[in-house]
Amino acid sequence: MRVLIADDSSLMTSRIQEALSVFEDLDIVGIANDGPSALEKAKSLKPDLAILDLKMPGLTGIQVLSEVRKKDKKMVIIILTYFLTDDYRNKAVESGADYVYSKVDDFEKVSDTVGRLLETFPTR
């Protein structure tokens, strides 16, 4: 599985990389620290999974998600944020997010979800 991580915090991108390092069948193909870079890398690298921060400079994770969904319905997208409210969750889901998690309360769910995805993930 090819993964893109997009977060404006290098500490968080490192934390996500560390959490995913236990998976042998996973390749982190790109890291972006702002919305425009995340969108560019999502389009050019064509990852199977994108983990997007909700609030990034340039474009939000939801804006990146909306643009990606116009051309790629198969990419699995996880929105990860410190600012999880019902409104943000609803907007993310309406825009096509597969999963929406809080960095504070749900961080472990990211690796749990990736593990489940790897068990059933078809190759592109």
Side-chain angles (χ1 to χ4, degrees):
M1 177 184 296
R2 298 166 44 83
V3 179
L4 168 66
I5 299 170
D7 198 299
D8 59 335
S9 165
S10 59
L11 181 62
M12 184 53 65
T13 56
S14 295
R15 190 171 169 213
I16 295 167
Q17 284 178 286
E18 183 178 326
L20 300 182
S21 68
V22 299
F23 300 109
E24 292 179 14
D25 294 335
L26 185 139
D27 184 22
I28 297 173
V29 296
I31 294 178
N33 59 7
D34 60 42
S37 296
L39 181 57
E40 175 190 327
K41 289 181 181 194
K43 289 179 177 179
S44 65
L45 298 173
K46 298 183 181 5
D48 302 302
L49 168 66
I51 301 172
L52 305 175
D53 185 14
L54 180 68
K55 293 190 176 189
M56 294 183 287
L59 295 170
T60 67
I62 291 175
Q63 290 170 315
V64 172
L65 163 64
S66 295
E67 287 300 311
V68 166
R69 281 291 181 241
K70 289 178 182 177
K71 297 197 184 231
D72 190 334
K73 305 287 188 214
K74 292 182 182 180
M75 186 185 306
V76 177
I77 299 180
I78 297 173
I79 295 287
L80 191 58
T81 183
Y82 282 119
F83 307 100
L84 189 56
T85 63
D86 287 342
D87 186 46
Y88 281 141
R89 181 184 301 277
N90 292 339
K91 284 180 184 176
V93 170
E94 289 168 7
S95 297
D98 297 289
Y99 304 93
V100 184
Y101 296 133
S102 164
K103 291 178 182 178
V104 176
D105 299 323
D106 302 323
F107 186 81
E108 71 285 345
K109 290 182 181 179
V110 173
S111 58
D112 293 345
T113 298
V114 170
R116 284 193 313 275
L117 289 171
L118 281 168
E119 291 174 3
T120 60
F121 204 80
T123 56
R124 278 192 176 187

